[in-house]
Amino acid sequence: IDFDRNATAPLHPAARAAMMAALEGDALGNPSSVHRLGQRARAVVERGRRAIAAALGASSTDVVLTSGGTEADALAILGVARALAVAGRPSAVACSAIEHPAVTGACGVLRRAGHGVVTIPVDAHGRLDPASIGALVRAHPELGLVSVTAAHHELGNVTDVRAIVDAVRAARPEVLVHVDAVQALGKLPVSVAGWGVDLLSVSAHKVGGPAGIGALVCARHVAIEPLWGGGRQQSGRRPGTESAWATAGFAAAATAAASAAERWASEVAPLGARLRAGLVACGGRLFGDPDAHLGNTALAAFDGCDGHLVMVALDLAGFACSTGAACSTGTVEPSAVLLALGCDRAVARGALRFSLGPERTAAEIDALCSALPDILASVRAATARLGAA
């Protein structure tokens, strides 16, 4: 039973149908070729780009197709920082310590290269304060880009993106704002125009599209350096041949996700409340903003337990969950998010992320919470025996 929905979503039927139609029809040529086969594939790509843009409240000319959310975040952060530096403009980047590894990893690349990176503070619940971000922008004239997440991948926190954009603009209008909306699309109304951001990242497989494709919305006034050399595809912003069939699947999934965003909260909220109550009843300590929250995500720590061992035991019992972002799962380390929130390593090692979609049922949640106490007891007993040895 999948309680790791934030890692990936099941393939949407509309996405599957769109990809099959593209593979059987007009997506067989190279979209950069000038002959008829190429132009048919180009038409598939551009139709998909327009649909993706519509789902994001953006202009189709601003949509840069990537290999996924990680590349979209990297292109936003590395590409913009390098372009600003080349232009002789302030180019330091600000992000919080609890951002997705795609963001903190890109900032780490900059930091190791001697490029300025400023950490945005968060409170004990992982919340971003727009006023504090505005003050930080005023205090750091070297800043050229602020990157925040719209919906947190581990905590489930929902950020007031518009308020942060307004605070940054009031402090220094020239500073650019990037938002990682990978976990937000399909769960919240997402709008580049409504939020007023300059850059926005999304990923197809989080909303029921194929893995291996994502997008960065990059406003036309934003200069960006490509991450690598190559051809002149996508106006030189992202060299490489676009995948017509994957774009078709992404477009169908994004369209479906955007139309379902308004219903997400009402469908998932009661399930999420049941899940969180069940985890607390099992002795779990919950983290994140209790008010501005996606509703589908619960990050819980269990005293005396190694989260990785509990995750493996739950998997053997038929339940999928994670110890954090899928990009970092497999590394048996404490939750970097909880460490950044000030938790000690023992608490951070005991954390598990449970996330669900509207396809889950109350009975499945009850089954998880019924199985968890015995699993926790077994892990604690095993840990005690190892400690005694």
Side-chain angles (χ1 to χ4, degrees), residues 103-190:
V103 172
T104 57
C107 288
V109 171
L110 290 176
R111 188 181 286 110
R112 289 189 293 275
H115 202 100
V117 177
V118 177
T119 300
I120 300 172
V122 295
D123 69 9
H125 297 288
R127 293 176 293 208
L128 295 164
D129 176 48
S132 296
I133 293 176
L136 181 140
V137 170
R138 284 190 293 272
H140 290 273
E142 74 276 18
L143 278 178
L145 175 68
V146 170
S147 179
V148 298
T149 187
H152 197 271
H153 59 287
E154 284 191 38
L155 298 172
N157 290 2
V158 174
T159 301
D160 189 341
V161 175
R162 182 75 242 190
I164 289 174
V165 170
D166 289 344
V168 172
R169 300 285 186 249
R172 285 174 49 217
E174 72 278 10
V175 174
L176 303 172
V177 179
H178 163 249
V179 62
D180 180 335
V182 168
Q183 289 293 345
L185 182 59
K187 302 169 188 172
L188 301 170
V190 172

Side-chain angles (χ1 to χ4, degrees), residues 201-260:
S201 304
V202 289
S203 180
H205 76 99
K206 302 293 188 181
V207 295
I213 185 169
L216 173 68
V217 177
C218 179
R220 65 196 67 188
H221 64 271
V222 177
I224 195 164
E225 288 284 315
L227 297 181
W228 54 77
R232 296 294 301 169
Q233 291 95 339
Q234 305 197 74
S235 301
R237 296 175 295 185
R238 200 275 188 178
T241 301
E242 304 100 319
S243 170
W245 68 269
T247 303
F250 184 10
T255 300
S259 66

Side-chain angles (χ1 to χ4, degrees), residues 318-360:
F319 303 97
C321 65
S322 72
T323 54
C327 295
S328 54
T329 295
T331 59
V332 188
E333 294 289 336
S335 165
V337 169
L338 292 186
L339 292 177
L341 294 186
C343 296
D344 62 36
R345 292 183 69 84
V347 171
R349 283 187 67 89
L352 287 168
R353 181 186 72 177
F354 300 88
S355 54
L356 47 82
E359 67 276 3
R360 294 281 67 80

